[in-house]
Amino acid sequence: VRVVVPFDASRPKTRLADTLDPAERSALADAMLHDVLAALGETGVAPEVLSTDPIDVSVPVTVDERPLTVAVNHVLSEASQPVGIVMADLALVTPAALDRLFDTDGDVVLVPGRSGGTNAIVSRHPDFRVDYHGVSIRDHRENASLVGASVAEVDSHRLSTDIDTRDDLAEVLLHGAGRAAEWVEERFSVEVEGGRVGVTRRADHPSDQ
Amino acid sequence: VRVVVPFDASRPKTRLADTLDPAERSALADAMLHDVLAALGETGVAPEVLSTDPIDVSVPVTVDERPLTVAVNHVLSEASQPVGIVMADLALVTPAALDRLFDTDGDVVLVPGRSGGTNAIVSRHPDFRVDYHGVSIRDHRENASLVGASVAEVDSHRLSTDIDTRDDLAEVLLHGAGRAAEWVEERFSVEVEGGRVGVTRRADHPSDQ
């Protein structure tokens, strides 16, 4: 399986703008990409990055400035073997969770993301195409069905948790173990306020914002 | 394994008060309880309900008005066999996800809930006790460690998604298949606004609120 990790190097993690300044958002995005690539490497696949801009990582990078959906569909249309597409912001990723993804049978294997997204895909069908706009998990189920591909889904909290918002940082603190978790742990701690769990910034790590 | 499903029959789902009126919150809680009991039944266990008040369900009910932590610890302290504790609001539950829970080895097996909760536990250690206040997943890891119990965690989006808030209803619509999903589907649909996924109430099912 050829595994591609799409990465937005130009404006990463904009929904974290209420919590992280631009340099921090970029640093967190880099750390998460590192963790995803490392976990993929441990499963025995050789991942490559599909980036909006040139970046410096230890695996091959293809630069494609086009929107995510277009760039990924270009990869799918050119592929002569199964393709895996794994999002770069899965800070809770583990090799074990990825093994479950790659070991699941099906023409199209989907991992939903919280709030309707699709965090990972393995496509073994030549005609399957993605559409990451809107409620993508629904579109992907439908797209698979339209080309006659069987669909399976992988049930994983670790893979379904992409890190987009301030609340998601609590998930990183509670369940992460890689470079991103270390980065968040340096700057934030879990706090409980009125029975709700969130994060609070450590006084010794103020934002530059 | 003896499996207990705690249920708050008096004030269920208060964090959904911005979206559902009290009668609706109660109806949704009942539907989710039904789905959890049905899925447990399909895995071959005979669940019982630990309820704050008498309720009418097809399985044995023990009424214990005390707070959740106290009531569950009473069950644990009296148990002479492994005990499973499965929350009643897991609307995405499937027998397959529960099989993974019961098939996981470990003195204490934990399923985290989003935002620091603990959605399911199997305890095979006589001294393990729960504490559902605050960030319970951390406390449960620590409590297990303090009594010398080995800990394992189950990685399941379906079991980690408890239904507490309006946003969670989108998860039910996208991934649920039982009575709760049917109930939510009758009243709400998934909507995308400004790239974010949420739910909107159907015009033909207004709230009484």
Side-chain angles (χ1 to χ4, degrees), chain B residues 9-169:
Chain B
S10 52
R11 293 176 61 243
K13 301 288 110 199
T14 46
R15 287 179 61 196
L16 274 162
D18 59 351
T19 301
L20 302 178
D21 64 44
E24 288 177 326
R25 298 203 295 276
S26 198
L28 175 59
D30 287 349
M32 294 196 290
L33 175 63
H34 171 274
D35 290 344
V36 169
L37 295 176
L40 283 166
E42 282 188 57
T43 67
V45 307
E48 53 193 283
V49 176
L50 180 65
S51 179
T52 56
D53 301 86
I55 55 167
D56 183 25
V57 288
S58 59
V59 305
V61 177
T62 301
V63 175
D64 191 331
E65 299 174 357
R66 294 176 294 175
L68 176 62
T69 295
V70 179
V72 168
N73 280 336
H74 179 73
V75 172
L76 289 170
S77 69
E78 290 205 318
S80 56
Q81 56 172 315
V83 176
I85 302 143
V86 178
M87 292 294 124
D89 60 351
L90 308 184
L92 311 190
V93 68
T94 57
L98 291 169
D99 278 336
R100 286 176 53 217
L101 166 64
F102 297 126
D103 290 348
T104 299
D105 291 329
D107 294 334
V108 173
V109 181
L110 302 173
V111 183
R114 191 173 158 86
S115 300
T118 309
N119 285 358
I121 299 172
V122 171
S123 173
R124 304 183 177 102
H125 193 288
D127 301 326
F128 175 74
R129 296 294 179 268
V130 297
D131 179 356
Y132 284 104
H133 299 285
V135 187
S136 70
I137 190 69
R138 279 195 169 165
D139 294 332
H140 291 149
R141 289 169 182 159
E142 198 176 301
N143 290 0
S145 167
L146 286 172
V147 299
S150 66
V151 177
E153 298 195 14
V154 176
D155 176 28
S156 166
H157 176 62
R158 293 188 170 278
L159 298 183
S160 288
T161 305
D162 46 327
I163 307 304
D164 280 328
T165 67
R166 183 183 180 97
D167 280 352
D168 294 331
L169 297 182

Side-chain angles (χ1 to χ4, degrees), chain A residues 137-187:
Chain A
I137 190 69
R138 278 194 169 165
D139 294 332
H140 292 149
R141 289 169 183 159
E142 198 176 302
N143 290 0
S145 168
L146 286 172
V147 299
S150 66
V151 178
E153 297 196 14
V154 176
D155 176 28
S156 166
H157 175 62
R158 292 188 170 280
L159 298 183
S160 289
T161 305
D162 46 327
I163 307 305
D164 279 329
T165 67
R166 183 181 180 99
D167 280 351
D168 294 331
L169 297 182
E171 302 300 312
V172 180
L173 290 172
L174 291 167
H175 306 295
R179 194 176 286 190
E182 198 177 317
W183 188 93
V184 177
E185 184 76 42
E186 273 177 17
R187 288 160 184 81

Side-chain angles (χ1 to χ4, degrees), chain A residues 76-197:
Chain A
L76 289 171
S77 68
E78 290 205 319
S80 56
Q81 57 172 317
V83 176
I85 303 143
V86 178
M87 292 296 123
D89 59 351
L90 308 185
L92 310 190
V93 67
T94 58
L98 291 169
D99 279 336
R100 287 175 53 216
L101 167 63
F102 296 126
D103 290 347
T104 298
D105 291 328
D107 295 335
V108 173
V109 181
L110 301 172
V111 182
R114 192 175 156 85
S115 300
T118 308
N119 285 359
I121 299 172
V122 171
S123 174
R124 303 184 177 102
H125 194 289
D127 299 326
F128 175 75
R129 296 293 179 269
V130 297
D131 179 357
Y132 284 103
H133 299 285
V135 187
S136 69
I137 190 69
R138 278 194 169 165
D139 294 332
H140 292 149
R141 289 169 183 159
E142 198 176 302
N143 290 0
S145 168
L146 286 172
V147 299
S150 66
V151 178
E153 297 196 14
V154 176
D155 176 28
S156 166
H157 175 62
R158 292 188 170 280
L159 298 183
S160 289
T161 305
D162 46 327
I163 307 305
D164 279 329
T165 67
R166 183 181 180 99
D167 280 351
D168 294 331
L169 297 182
E171 302 300 312
V172 180
L173 290 172
L174 291 167
H175 306 295
R179 194 176 286 190
E182 198 177 317
W183 188 93
V184 177
E185 184 76 42
E186 273 177 17
R187 288 160 184 81
F188 295 89
S189 59
V190 172
E191 103 182 320
V192 184
E193 207 176 295
R196 303 206 44 182
V197 172

